[in-house]
Amino acid sequence: MMLWLLIRRGLRQHLVSTAVAVLLVALGLGLVISVWVVRAEAEQSFTRSASGFDAVLGARGSKLQLVLNGLFHQEASPGNITAEDYQQVKSLPVVDRAIPIVVGDNVRGVRLVGVSDDFFQGLEYAPDHVYTVEPGGRTFQVGQKEAVVGSLAAHQLGWSIGTQFHPFHGLDYNPSAQHSEVFTVVGLLAPTNTPADRVIWVPLEGVQRLGGHDPAAFTDLSAVLIKFKPGAQAAGFMLDTRYNRQGRRLTLAWPVAAILGDLFAKFSWFEDALQALAYMVAVVAGASVFSAVYSSMSARKRDLAILRALGAHRGFLIAAVLGESACIGVLGCALGFGLYAGIASLVQELLRTRIGVLLEPWAWNPVLVWGPALMLGLSVAAGAIPAWRAYRLSVADGLAPLS
Amino acid sequence: MDSTPALLLHDLVKSYPAPSGGRTEVLRIPHLELAAGQQVALRGASGLGKTTLMHLIAGILVPDAGLVAVGGTPLTGLSEARRDRFRAERLGYVFQTFNLLQGLTALENVALGLAFGRGVQPRAAMAALERVGLAGHAGHLPRQLSTGQQQRVAVARALANRPCLILADEPTGNLDAARGRKVIQLLQRSAAELGAALLVASHDRDVLDCFEQVLDLAELNHVQAREEEA
């Protein structure tokens, strides 16, 4: 009880240095957790957000570009493939679902994606989760100028069922490139926390046959999203050989997770730099705890001598000094989690709205345990030298009358 | 009546390392005894070793040789931890510079006098504050009290554990004559109420005049005597 009282009063007596040390510990922990979790979670979230597809078939080119364009609705399509290519891959016995898409138009920067209607027929974007339309709406009818809008896109554009719109040519918004056709929103896609939320879904021919598009390419497709039947690994190898090694006209982006892994590997230097920065902040935080506790102990040398004179054992002084540094560590860690929650929600919102990927910041990650343990350990270790000085304190010197 | 002396010093020797090497003897006291309830002033100019002697009696310092016994317990045979415990349970110590913890209230400072012995007892701490007439200032921090009040808090802290021996090292050093006299009277009255022996070290004539029995450290300390003879 007395120990706790002395620790609390000691921290309060040196409020400014205590607060600075607590903030630095919080910053150190917040950064360490953020860097580690965002790094791991981002990669996993991207893989989760592959919307249940195993591969993307498209024109000859970059696999990464195919994945980003077909599944994440980023980047441009590397080129078109023919309807025959789609029919051929769809008919393969190893293929469970083959969904053709067409891109190339937008509404105020939001992509229009032409897709076959079986996209909304029991297709799982995650285990036990299928694409569905919010109550009150319905999916588009093939051949009609109708649209189902992703939840984020609807929010961004302020659309609801019944809204009519003109598409604009190209992937970037250009007000002078407006198509004359008018589409009507007939359904809002229930949120999926995948990139599907960020686009406007229309029938294939809705995009293919827009005014100004080349009539010779009316049946061309941008890509085919492929889901294999169980035993996907063998199917992937087979198609990889067929399209990527033996063929020259098409590219099969498979496996999606490995391609995304390559993408993240390209940024590993940046993650390493962030990690180094986080470690540096952690070390600075430790130094600041040392400074706060050391100066507090030096300023209270007399107090410690009084405690000894009143019968406090040397171990009590060690406990008091280490207790202060541990309290700074605990307070800093608590604040650090708050800081991390703030950083994570910012990154989460950014990824969700810009890419449609949902980060799960509180999903299990070992850093959630070793991060606070590291900062707490650093804080207590920083109190070791002041504690040792307190232990060695000469009571007679400490009680010498002040001049 | 219990004949065990409240304080017994026998063949006590204390030396410190000398700057030139070797050791310099600062205290050599053949014999000193205080009975329970006895009140004695210890006269001695600054630098004569009054504080060293007080620290030896309190078990803060360890003698090179000799015996220090308080209430029949020989401190010289105890480990540091046992001496700390004994000091907390049986001794009251009033310092020259009050030595209150600035971050604690008056009541908490008094409770410190109990914390390492019997354990924190808010009622006993409050009773000690009442004894020195400061119950109404229990929640005040030291800086909110006058110097006289601060020293009374220090006295209350020394009395809180109902010691058998109260040591006061220049307890009026930072007070004017009138306040100093009041503090000495408070110590004497409280020691009498508790039946504790009281040893007050001072070079202040006003303080020494308050005691019937005054010992001269220069006479007690044979090191001093030999140096003076030389």
mmCIF file with all atom_site columns, all heavy atoms in Angstrom, chain A residues 9 302 306 308-311 313-314 316 399 401, chain B residues 80 84 87-88 95-97 99 101 103 108 116:
data_model
loop_
_atom_site.group_PDB
_atom_site.id
_atom_site.type_symbol
_atom_site.label_atom_id
_atom_site.label_alt_id
_atom_site.label_comp_id
_atom_site.label_asym_id
_atom_site.label_entity_id
_atom_site.label_seq_id
_atom_site.pdbx_PDB_ins_code
_atom_site.Cartn_x
_atom_site.Cartn_y
_atom_site.Cartn_z
_atom_site.occupancy
_atom_site.B_iso_or_equiv
_atom_site.pdbx_formal_charge
_atom_site.auth_seq_id
_atom_site.auth_comp_id
_atom_site.auth_asym_id
_atom_site.auth_atom_id
_atom_site.pdbx_PDB_model_num
ATOM 1   N N   . ARG A 1 9   ? 2.929  8.935  -6.068 1.00 0.00 ? 9   ARG A N   1
ATOM 2   C CA  . ARG A 1 9   ? 3.339  10.318 -5.777 1.00 0.00 ? 9   ARG A CA  1
ATOM 3   C C   . ARG A 1 9   ? 4.642  10.670 -6.480 1.00 0.00 ? 9   ARG A C   1
ATOM 4   O O   . ARG A 1 9   ? 4.852  11.799 -6.895 1.00 0.00 ? 9   ARG A O   1
ATOM 5   C CB  . ARG A 1 9   ? 3.481  10.514 -4.269 1.00 0.00 ? 9   ARG A CB  1
ATOM 6   C CG  . ARG A 1 9   ? 2.186  10.346 -3.517 1.00 0.00 ? 9   ARG A CG  1
ATOM 7   C CD  . ARG A 1 9   ? 1.176  11.429 -3.920 1.00 0.00 ? 9   ARG A CD  1
ATOM 8   N NE  . ARG A 1 9   ? -0.162 11.074 -3.536 1.00 0.00 ? 9   ARG A NE  1
ATOM 9   C CZ  . ARG A 1 9   ? -0.679 11.274 -2.317 1.00 0.00 ? 9   ARG A CZ  1
ATOM 10  N NH1 . ARG A 1 9   ? 0.042  11.844 -1.388 1.00 0.00 ? 9   ARG A NH1 1
ATOM 11  N NH2 . ARG A 1 9   ? -1.901 10.916 -2.048 1.00 0.00 ? 9   ARG A NH2 1
ATOM 12  N N   . ARG A 1 302 ? 17.120 12.260 -1.112 1.00 0.00 ? 302 ARG A N   1
ATOM 13  C CA  . ARG A 1 302 ? 16.860 12.530 0.295  1.00 0.00 ? 302 ARG A CA  1
ATOM 14  C C   . ARG A 1 302 ? 15.635 11.734 0.785  1.00 0.00 ? 302 ARG A C   1
ATOM 15  O O   . ARG A 1 302 ? 15.655 11.159 1.880  1.00 0.00 ? 302 ARG A O   1
ATOM 16  C CB  . ARG A 1 302 ? 16.623 14.035 0.481  1.00 0.00 ? 302 ARG A CB  1
ATOM 17  C CG  . ARG A 1 302 ? 16.604 14.451 1.929  1.00 0.00 ? 302 ARG A CG  1
ATOM 18  C CD  . ARG A 1 302 ? 16.540 15.964 2.062  1.00 0.00 ? 302 ARG A CD  1
ATOM 19  N NE  . ARG A 1 302 ? 16.877 16.336 3.424  1.00 0.00 ? 302 ARG A NE  1
ATOM 20  C CZ  . ARG A 1 302 ? 18.107 16.450 3.886  1.00 0.00 ? 302 ARG A CZ  1
ATOM 21  N NH1 . ARG A 1 302 ? 19.133 16.232 3.088  1.00 0.00 ? 302 ARG A NH1 1
ATOM 22  N NH2 . ARG A 1 302 ? 18.334 16.787 5.135  1.00 0.00 ? 302 ARG A NH2 1
ATOM 23  N N   . ILE A 1 306 ? 15.447 9.051  3.759  1.00 0.00 ? 306 ILE A N   1
ATOM 24  C CA  . ILE A 1 306 ? 14.484 9.135  4.861  1.00 0.00 ? 306 ILE A CA  1
ATOM 25  C C   . ILE A 1 306 ? 13.778 7.788  5.031  1.00 0.00 ? 306 ILE A C   1
ATOM 26  O O   . ILE A 1 306 ? 13.609 7.285  6.140  1.00 0.00 ? 306 ILE A O   1
ATOM 27  C CB  . ILE A 1 306 ? 13.435 10.242 4.591  1.00 0.00 ? 306 ILE A CB  1
ATOM 28  C CG1 . ILE A 1 306 ? 14.101 11.601 4.573  1.00 0.00 ? 306 ILE A CG1 1
ATOM 29  C CG2 . ILE A 1 306 ? 12.337 10.212 5.644  1.00 0.00 ? 306 ILE A CG2 1
ATOM 30  C CD1 . ILE A 1 306 ? 13.210 12.699 4.019  1.00 0.00 ? 306 ILE A CD1 1
ATOM 31  N N   . ARG A 1 308 ? 14.861 4.882  4.259  1.00 0.00 ? 308 ARG A N   1
ATOM 32  C CA  . ARG A 1 308 ? 15.788 3.935  4.869  1.00 0.00 ? 308 ARG A CA  1
ATOM 33  C C   . ARG A 1 308 ? 15.891 4.199  6.365  1.00 0.00 ? 308 ARG A C   1
ATOM 34  O O   . ARG A 1 308 ? 15.877 3.280  7.183  1.00 0.00 ? 308 ARG A O   1
ATOM 35  C CB  . ARG A 1 308 ? 17.174 4.051  4.217  1.00 0.00 ? 308 ARG A CB  1
ATOM 36  C CG  . ARG A 1 308 ? 17.262 3.515  2.825  1.00 0.00 ? 308 ARG A CG  1
ATOM 37  C CD  . ARG A 1 308 ? 17.406 1.986  2.764  1.00 0.00 ? 308 ARG A CD  1
ATOM 38  N NE  . ARG A 1 308 ? 18.685 1.542  3.309  1.00 0.00 ? 308 ARG A NE  1
ATOM 39  C CZ  . ARG A 1 308 ? 18.815 0.736  4.344  1.00 0.00 ? 308 ARG A CZ  1
ATOM 40  N NH1 . ARG A 1 308 ? 17.761 0.243  4.947  1.00 0.00 ? 308 ARG A NH1 1
ATOM 41  N NH2 . ARG A 1 308 ? 20.006 0.378  4.796  1.00 0.00 ? 308 ARG A NH2 1
ATOM 42  N N   . ALA A 1 309 ? 15.991 5.488  6.720  1.00 0.00 ? 309 ALA A N   1
ATOM 43  C CA  . ALA A 1 309 ? 16.128 5.829  8.135  1.00 0.00 ? 309 ALA A CA  1
ATOM 44  C C   . ALA A 1 309 ? 14.886 5.421  8.925  1.00 0.00 ? 309 ALA A C   1
ATOM 45  O O   . ALA A 1 309 ? 14.965 5.127  10.115 1.00 0.00 ? 309 ALA A O   1
ATOM 46  C CB  . ALA A 1 309 ? 16.377 7.329  8.287  1.00 0.00 ? 309 ALA A CB  1
ATOM 47  N N   . LEU A 1 310 ? 13.748 5.408  8.256  1.00 0.00 ? 310 LEU A N   1
ATOM 48  C CA  . LEU A 1 310 ? 12.503 5.025  8.944  1.00 0.00 ? 310 LEU A CA  1
ATOM 49  C C   . LEU A 1 310 ? 12.302 3.509  8.959  1.00 0.00 ? 310 LEU A C   1
ATOM 50  O O   . LEU A 1 310 ? 11.296 3.033  9.454  1.00 0.00 ? 310 LEU A O   1
ATOM 51  C CB  . LEU A 1 310 ? 11.300 5.693  8.261  1.00 0.00 ? 310 LEU A CB  1
ATOM 52  C CG  . LEU A 1 310 ? 11.235 7.218  8.415  1.00 0.00 ? 310 LEU A CG  1
ATOM 53  C CD1 . LEU A 1 310 ? 10.103 7.788  7.580  1.00 0.00 ? 310 LEU A CD1 1
ATOM 54  C CD2 . LEU A 1 310 ? 11.047 7.599  9.876  1.00 0.00 ? 310 LEU A CD2 1
ATOM 55  N N   . GLY A 1 311 ? 13.262 2.795  8.397  1.00 0.00 ? 311 GLY A N   1
ATOM 56  C CA  . GLY A 1 311 ? 13.188 1.340  8.494  1.00 0.00 ? 311 GLY A CA  1
ATOM 57  C C   . GLY A 1 311 ? 12.918 0.618  7.185  1.00 0.00 ? 311 GLY A C   1
ATOM 58  O O   . GLY A 1 311 ? 12.764 -0.605 7.188  1.00 0.00 ? 311 GLY A O   1
ATOM 59  N N   . HIS A 1 313 ? 13.625 -1.326 3.995  1.00 0.00 ? 313 HIS A N   1
ATOM 60  C CA  . HIS A 1 313 ? 14.742 -2.166 3.571  1.00 0.00 ? 313 HIS A CA  1
ATOM 61  C C   . HIS A 1 313 ? 15.213 -1.722 2.191  1.00 0.00 ? 313 HIS A C   1
ATOM 62  O O   . HIS A 1 313 ? 14.455 -1.105 1.447  1.00 0.00 ? 313 HIS A O   1
ATOM 63  C CB  . HIS A 1 313 ? 14.296 -3.637 3.554  1.00 0.00 ? 313 HIS A CB  1
ATOM 64  C CG  . HIS A 1 313 ? 15.422 -4.585 3.337  1.00 0.00 ? 313 HIS A CG  1
ATOM 65  N ND1 . HIS A 1 313 ? 15.567 -5.313 2.190  1.00 0.00 ? 313 HIS A ND1 1
ATOM 66  C CD2 . HIS A 1 313 ? 16.481 -4.885 4.118  1.00 0.00 ? 313 HIS A CD2 1
ATOM 67  C CE1 . HIS A 1 313 ? 16.669 -6.043 2.279  1.00 0.00 ? 313 HIS A CE1 1
ATOM 68  N NE2 . HIS A 1 313 ? 17.243 -5.799 3.437  1.00 0.00 ? 313 HIS A NE2 1
ATOM 69  N N   . ARG A 1 314 ? 16.453 -2.049 1.851  1.00 0.00 ? 314 ARG A N   1
ATOM 70  C CA  . ARG A 1 314 ? 16.979 -1.670 0.530  1.00 0.00 ? 314 ARG A CA  1
ATOM 71  C C   . ARG A 1 314 ? 16.101 -2.223 -0.597 1.00 0.00 ? 314 ARG A C   1
ATOM 72  O O   . ARG A 1 314 ? 15.922 -1.573 -1.617 1.00 0.00 ? 314 ARG A O   1
ATOM 73  C CB  . ARG A 1 314 ? 18.406 -2.200 0.354  1.00 0.00 ? 314 ARG A CB  1
ATOM 74  C CG  . ARG A 1 314 ? 19.428 -1.528 1.232  1.00 0.00 ? 314 ARG A CG  1
ATOM 75  C CD  . ARG A 1 314 ? 20.803 -2.131 0.997  1.00 0.00 ? 314 ARG A CD  1
ATOM 76  N NE  . ARG A 1 314 ? 21.757 -1.703 2.011  1.00 0.00 ? 314 ARG A NE  1
ATOM 77  C CZ  . ARG A 1 314 ? 22.448 -0.576 1.954  1.00 0.00 ? 314 ARG A CZ  1
ATOM 78  N NH1 . ARG A 1 314 ? 22.276 0.237  0.947  1.00 0.00 ? 314 ARG A NH1 1
ATOM 79  N NH2 . ARG A 1 314 ? 23.306 -0.263 2.896  1.00 0.00 ? 314 ARG A NH2 1
ATOM 80  N N   . PHE A 1 316 ? 13.014 -2.490 -0.638 1.00 0.00 ? 316 PHE A N   1
ATOM 81  C CA  . PHE A 1 316 ? 11.834 -1.632 -0.804 1.00 0.00 ? 316 PHE A CA  1
ATOM 82  C C   . PHE A 1 316 ? 12.155 -0.482 -1.766 1.00 0.00 ? 316 PHE A C   1
ATOM 83  O O   . PHE A 1 316 ? 11.330 -0.110 -2.605 1.00 0.00 ? 316 PHE A O   1
ATOM 84  C CB  . PHE A 1 316 ? 11.415 -1.082 0.563  1.00 0.00 ? 316 PHE A CB  1
ATOM 85  C CG  . PHE A 1 316 ? 10.181 -0.224 0.527  1.00 0.00 ? 316 PHE A CG  1
ATOM 86  C CD1 . PHE A 1 316 ? 8.918  -0.791 0.613  1.00 0.00 ? 316 PHE A CD1 1
ATOM 87  C CD2 . PHE A 1 316 ? 10.286 1.159  0.394  1.00 0.00 ? 316 PHE A CD2 1
ATOM 88  C CE1 . PHE A 1 316 ? 7.784  0.004  0.575  1.00 0.00 ? 316 PHE A CE1 1
ATOM 89  C CE2 . PHE A 1 316 ? 9.158  1.959  0.355  1.00 0.00 ? 316 PHE A CE2 1
ATOM 90  C CZ  . PHE A 1 316 ? 7.899  1.376  0.442  1.00 0.00 ? 316 PHE A CZ  1
ATOM 91  N N   . LEU A 1 399 ? 20.934 11.932 4.283  1.00 0.00 ? 399 LEU A N   1
ATOM 92  C CA  . LEU A 1 399 ? 20.268 12.712 5.325  1.00 0.00 ? 399 LEU A CA  1
ATOM 93  C C   . LEU A 1 399 ? 21.066 13.942 5.744  1.00 0.00 ? 399 LEU A C   1
ATOM 94  O O   . LEU A 1 399 ? 20.629 14.679 6.616  1.00 0.00 ? 399 LEU A O   1
ATOM 95  C CB  . LEU A 1 399 ? 20.045 11.837 6.567  1.00 0.00 ? 399 LEU A CB  1
ATOM 96  C CG  . LEU A 1 399 ? 19.009 10.728 6.441  1.00 0.00 ? 399 LEU A CG  1
ATOM 97  C CD1 . LEU A 1 399 ? 18.944 9.926  7.725  1.00 0.00 ? 399 LEU A CD1 1
ATOM 98  C CD2 . LEU A 1 399 ? 17.650 11.323 6.132  1.00 0.00 ? 399 LEU A CD2 1
ATOM 99  N N   . PRO A 1 401 ? 22.348 17.470 6.354  1.00 0.00 ? 401 PRO A N   1
ATOM 100 C CA  . PRO A 1 401 ? 21.560 18.706 6.309  1.00 0.00 ? 401 PRO A CA  1
ATOM 101 C C   . PRO A 1 401 ? 21.803 19.466 5.028  1.00 0.00 ? 401 PRO A C   1
ATOM 102 O O   . PRO A 1 401 ? 22.924 19.516 4.518  1.00 0.00 ? 401 PRO A O   1
ATOM 103 C CB  . PRO A 1 401 ? 22.069 19.495 7.515  1.00 0.00 ? 401 PRO A CB  1
ATOM 104 C CG  . PRO A 1 401 ? 22.663 18.491 8.420  1.00 0.00 ? 401 PRO A CG  1
ATOM 105 C CD  . PRO A 1 401 ? 23.201 17.414 7.541  1.00 0.00 ? 401 PRO A CD  1
ATOM 106 N N   . GLU B 2 80  ? 21.409 -6.335 8.545  1.00 0.00 ? 80  GLU B N   1
ATOM 107 C CA  . GLU B 2 80  ? 20.894 -5.013 8.157  1.00 0.00 ? 80  GLU B CA  1
ATOM 108 C C   . GLU B 2 80  ? 19.369 -5.033 8.088  1.00 0.00 ? 80  GLU B C   1
ATOM 109 O O   . GLU B 2 80  ? 18.700 -4.105 8.564  1.00 0.00 ? 80  GLU B O   1
ATOM 110 C CB  . GLU B 2 80  ? 21.464 -4.598 6.798  1.00 0.00 ? 80  GLU B CB  1
ATOM 111 C CG  . GLU B 2 80  ? 21.081 -3.176 6.443  1.00 0.00 ? 80  GLU B CG  1
ATOM 112 C CD  . GLU B 2 80  ? 21.542 -2.783 5.049  1.00 0.00 ? 80  GLU B CD  1
ATOM 113 O OE1 . GLU B 2 80  ? 21.054 -3.384 4.062  1.00 0.00 ? 80  GLU B OE1 1
ATOM 114 O OE2 . GLU B 2 80  ? 22.391 -1.887 4.960  1.00 0.00 ? 80  GLU B OE2 1
ATOM 115 N N   . ASP B 2 84  ? 16.877 -2.733 10.234 1.00 0.00 ? 84  ASP B N   1
ATOM 116 C CA  . ASP B 2 84  ? 15.851 -1.871 9.604  1.00 0.00 ? 84  ASP B CA  1
ATOM 117 C C   . ASP B 2 84  ? 14.495 -2.100 10.273 1.00 0.00 ? 84  ASP B C   1
ATOM 118 O O   . ASP B 2 84  ? 13.779 -1.157 10.610 1.00 0.00 ? 84  ASP B O   1
ATOM 119 C CB  . ASP B 2 84  ? 15.735 -2.188 8.108  1.00 0.00 ? 84  ASP B CB  1
ATOM 120 C CG  . ASP B 2 84  ? 16.971 -1.773 7.317  1.00 0.00 ? 84  ASP B CG  1
ATOM 121 O OD1 . ASP B 2 84  ? 17.734 -0.933 7.828  1.00 0.00 ? 84  ASP B OD1 1
ATOM 122 O OD2 . ASP B 2 84  ? 17.161 -2.297 6.201  1.00 0.00 ? 84  ASP B OD2 1
ATOM 123 N N   . ARG B 2 87  ? 14.440 -0.764 13.832 1.00 0.00 ? 87  ARG B N   1
ATOM 124 C CA  . ARG B 2 87  ? 14.342 0.713  13.824 1.00 0.00 ? 87  ARG B CA  1
ATOM 125 C C   . ARG B 2 87  ? 12.890 1.131  13.568 1.00 0.00 ? 87  ARG B C   1
ATOM 126 O O   . ARG B 2 87  ? 12.375 2.047  14.201 1.00 0.00 ? 87  ARG B O   1
ATOM 127 C CB  . ARG B 2 87  ? 15.259 1.250  12.729 1.00 0.00 ? 87  ARG B CB  1
ATOM 128 C CG  . ARG B 2 87  ? 15.414 2.744  12.717 1.00 0.00 ? 87  ARG B CG  1
ATOM 129 C CD  . ARG B 2 87  ? 16.645 3.180  11.938 1.00 0.00 ? 87  ARG B CD  1
ATOM 130 N NE  . ARG B 2 87  ? 16.606 2.799  10.529 1.00 0.00 ? 87  ARG B NE  1
ATOM 131 C CZ  . ARG B 2 87  ? 17.433 1.941  9.968  1.00 0.00 ? 87  ARG B CZ  1
ATOM 132 N NH1 . ARG B 2 87  ? 18.375 1.343  10.685 1.00 0.00 ? 87  ARG B NH1 1
ATOM 133 N NH2 . ARG B 2 87  ? 17.342 1.646  8.687  1.00 0.00 ? 87  ARG B NH2 1
ATOM 134 N N   . ALA B 2 88  ? 12.267 0.436  12.624 1.00 0.00 ? 88  ALA B N   1
ATOM 135 C CA  . ALA B 2 88  ? 10.886 0.778  12.271 1.00 0.00 ? 88  ALA B CA  1
ATOM 136 C C   . ALA B 2 88  ? 9.920  0.480  13.423 1.00 0.00 ? 88  ALA B C   1
ATOM 137 O O   . ALA B 2 88  ? 8.939  1.192  13.613 1.00 0.00 ? 88  ALA B O   1
ATOM 138 C CB  . ALA B 2 88  ? 10.473 0.000  11.026 1.00 0.00 ? 88  ALA B CB  1
ATOM 139 N N   . PHE B 2 95  ? 14.737 14.294 12.714 1.00 0.00 ? 95  PHE B N   1
ATOM 140 C CA  . PHE B 2 95  ? 15.937 14.828 12.061 1.00 0.00 ? 95  PHE B CA  1
ATOM 141 C C   . PHE B 2 95  ? 15.963 16.355 12.141 1.00 0.00 ? 95  PHE B C   1
ATOM 142 O O   . PHE B 2 95  ? 14.938 16.999 12.338 1.00 0.00 ? 95  PHE B O   1
ATOM 143 C CB  . PHE B 2 95  ? 15.961 14.427 10.587 1.00 0.00 ? 95  PHE B CB  1
ATOM 144 C CG  . PHE B 2 95  ? 15.777 12.958 10.362 1.00 0.00 ? 95  PHE B CG  1
ATOM 145 C CD1 . PHE B 2 95  ? 14.521 12.428 10.126 1.00 0.00 ? 95  PHE B CD1 1
ATOM 146 C CD2 . PHE B 2 95  ? 16.862 12.099 10.391 1.00 0.00 ? 95  PHE B CD2 1
ATOM 147 C CE1 . PHE B 2 95  ? 14.341 11.073 9.917  1.00 0.00 ? 95  PHE B CE1 1
ATOM 148 C CE2 . PHE B 2 95  ? 16.691 10.733 10.176 1.00 0.00 ? 95  PHE B CE2 1
ATOM 149 C CZ  . PHE B 2 95  ? 15.425 10.223 9.942  1.00 0.00 ? 95  PHE B CZ  1
ATOM 150 N N   . GLN B 2 96  ? 17.162 16.910 11.909 1.00 0.00 ? 96  GLN B N   1
ATOM 151 C CA  . GLN B 2 96  ? 17.317 18.363 11.967 1.00 0.00 ? 96  GLN B CA  1
ATOM 152 C C   . GLN B 2 96  ? 16.455 19.064 10.914 1.00 0.00 ? 96  GLN B C   1
ATOM 153 O O   . GLN B 2 96  ? 15.815 20.061 11.182 1.00 0.00 ? 96  GLN B O   1
ATOM 154 C CB  . GLN B 2 96  ? 18.789 18.728 11.752 1.00 0.00 ? 96  GLN B CB  1
ATOM 155 C CG  . GLN B 2 96  ? 19.019 20.234 11.699 1.00 0.00 ? 96  GLN B CG  1
ATOM 156 C CD  . GLN B 2 96  ? 20.476 20.574 11.412 1.00 0.00 ? 96  GLN B CD  1
ATOM 157 O OE1 . GLN B 2 96  ? 21.347 19.709 11.490 1.00 0.00 ? 96  GLN B OE1 1
ATOM 158 N NE2 . GLN B 2 96  ? 20.736 21.820 11.094 1.00 0.00 ? 96  GLN B NE2 1
ATOM 159 N N   . THR B 2 97  ? 16.467 18.496 9.722  1.00 0.00 ? 97  THR B N   1
ATOM 160 C CA  . THR B 2 97  ? 15.805 19.203 8.620  1.00 0.00 ? 97  THR B CA  1
ATOM 161 C C   . THR B 2 97  ? 14.413 18.626 8.335  1.00 0.00 ? 97  THR B C   1
ATOM 162 O O   . THR B 2 97  ? 13.956 18.629 7.209  1.00 0.00 ? 97  THR B O   1
ATOM 163 C CB  . THR B 2 97  ? 16.676 19.103 7.348  1.00 0.00 ? 97  THR B CB  1
ATOM 164 O OG1 . THR B 2 97  ? 17.104 17.749 7.206  1.00 0.00 ? 97  THR B OG1 1
ATOM 165 C CG2 . THR B 2 97  ? 17.868 20.003 7.431  1.00 0.00 ? 97  THR B CG2 1
ATOM 166 N N   . ASN B 2 99  ? 12.910 16.466 7.310  1.00 0.00 ? 99  ASN B N   1
ATOM 167 C CA  . ASN B 2 99  ? 12.923 15.292 6.422  1.00 0.00 ? 99  ASN B CA  1
ATOM 168 C C   . ASN B 2 99  ? 11.552 14.665 6.230  1.00 0.00 ? 99  ASN B C   1
ATOM 169 O O   . ASN B 2 99  ? 11.355 13.474 6.430  1.00 0.00 ? 99  ASN B O   1
ATOM 170 C CB  . ASN B 2 99  ? 13.924 14.254 6.946  1.00 0.00 ? 99  ASN B CB  1
ATOM 171 C CG  . ASN B 2 99  ? 15.343 14.673 6.645  1.00 0.00 ? 99  ASN B CG  1
ATOM 172 O OD1 . ASN B 2 99  ? 15.564 15.520 5.766  1.00 0.00 ? 99  ASN B OD1 1
ATOM 173 N ND2 . ASN B 2 99  ? 16.294 14.136 7.353  1.00 0.00 ? 99  ASN B ND2 1
ATOM 174 N N   . LEU B 2 101 ? 8.622  13.763 3.465  1.00 0.00 ? 101 LEU B N   1
ATOM 175 C CA  . LEU B 2 101 ? 8.539  13.522 2.027  1.00 0.00 ? 101 LEU B CA  1
ATOM 176 C C   . LEU B 2 101 ? 7.573  14.545 1.432  1.00 0.00 ? 101 LEU B C   1
ATOM 177 O O   . LEU B 2 101 ? 6.403  14.611 1.837  1.00 0.00 ? 101 LEU B O   1
ATOM 178 C CB  . LEU B 2 101 ? 8.055  12.089 1.741  1.00 0.00 ? 101 LEU B CB  1
ATOM 179 C CG  . LEU B 2 101 ? 9.183  11.076 1.540  1.00 0.00 ? 101 LEU B CG  1
ATOM 180 C CD1 . LEU B 2 101 ? 10.004 10.921 2.813  1.00 0.00 ? 101 LEU B CD1 1
ATOM 181 C CD2 . LEU B 2 101 ? 8.641  9.739  1.109  1.00 0.00 ? 101 LEU B CD2 1
ATOM 182 N N   . GLY B 2 103 ? 6.100  14.883 -1.329 1.00 0.00 ? 103 GLY B N   1
ATOM 183 C CA  . GLY B 2 103 ? 4.939  14.453 -2.128 1.00 0.00 ? 103 GLY B CA  1
ATOM 184 C C   . GLY B 2 103 ? 3.823  13.836 -1.298 1.00 0.00 ? 103 GLY B C   1
ATOM 185 O O   . GLY B 2 103 ? 2.752  13.535 -1.827 1.00 0.00 ? 103 GLY B O   1
ATOM 186 N N   . GLU B 2 108 ? 0.113  11.049 5.692  1.00 0.00 ? 108 GLU B N   1
ATOM 187 C CA  . GLU B 2 108 ? 0.876  9.989  5.019  1.00 0.00 ? 108 GLU B CA  1
ATOM 188 C C   . GLU B 2 108 ? 2.317  9.946  5.514  1.00 0.00 ? 108 GLU B C   1
ATOM 189 O O   . GLU B 2 108 ? 2.907  8.872  5.638  1.00 0.00 ? 108 GLU B O   1
ATOM 190 C CB  . GLU B 2 108 ? 0.833  10.207 3.502  1.00 0.00 ? 108 GLU B CB  1
ATOM 191 C CG  . GLU B 2 108 ? -0.543 9.905  2.904  1.00 0.00 ? 108 GLU B CG  1
ATOM 192 C CD  . GLU B 2 108 ? -0.745 10.491 1.516  1.00 0.00 ? 108 GLU B CD  1
ATOM 193 O OE1 . GLU B 2 108 ? 0.083  11.328 1.076  1.00 0.00 ? 108 GLU B OE1 1
ATOM 194 O OE2 . GLU B 2 108 ? -1.751 10.136 0.872  1.00 0.00 ? 108 GLU B OE2 1
ATOM 195 N N   . PHE B 2 116 ? 6.901  0.510  7.908  1.00 0.00 ? 116 PHE B N   1
ATOM 196 C CA  . PHE B 2 116 ? 7.932  -0.530 7.803  1.00 0.00 ? 116 PHE B CA  1
ATOM 197 C C   . PHE B 2 116 ? 8.053  -1.372 9.071  1.00 0.00 ? 116 PHE B C   1
ATOM 198 O O   . PHE B 2 116 ? 8.897  -2.234 9.161  1.00 0.00 ? 116 PHE B O   1
ATOM 199 C CB  . PHE B 2 116 ? 9.273  0.114  7.451  1.00 0.00 ? 116 PHE B CB  1
ATOM 200 C CG  . PHE B 2 116 ? 9.163  0.990  6.238  1.00 0.00 ? 116 PHE B CG  1
ATOM 201 C CD1 . PHE B 2 116 ? 9.256  2.370  6.338  1.00 0.00 ? 116 PHE B CD1 1
ATOM 202 C CD2 . PHE B 2 116 ? 8.902  0.435  4.999  1.00 0.00 ? 116 PHE B CD2 1
ATOM 203 C CE1 . PHE B 2 116 ? 9.110  3.173  5.233  1.00 0.00 ? 116 PHE B CE1 1
ATOM 204 C CE2 . PHE B 2 116 ? 8.754  1.233  3.887  1.00 0.00 ? 116 PHE B CE2 1
ATOM 205 C CZ  . PHE B 2 116 ? 8.857  2.610  3.996  1.00 0.00 ? 116 PHE B CZ  1
#
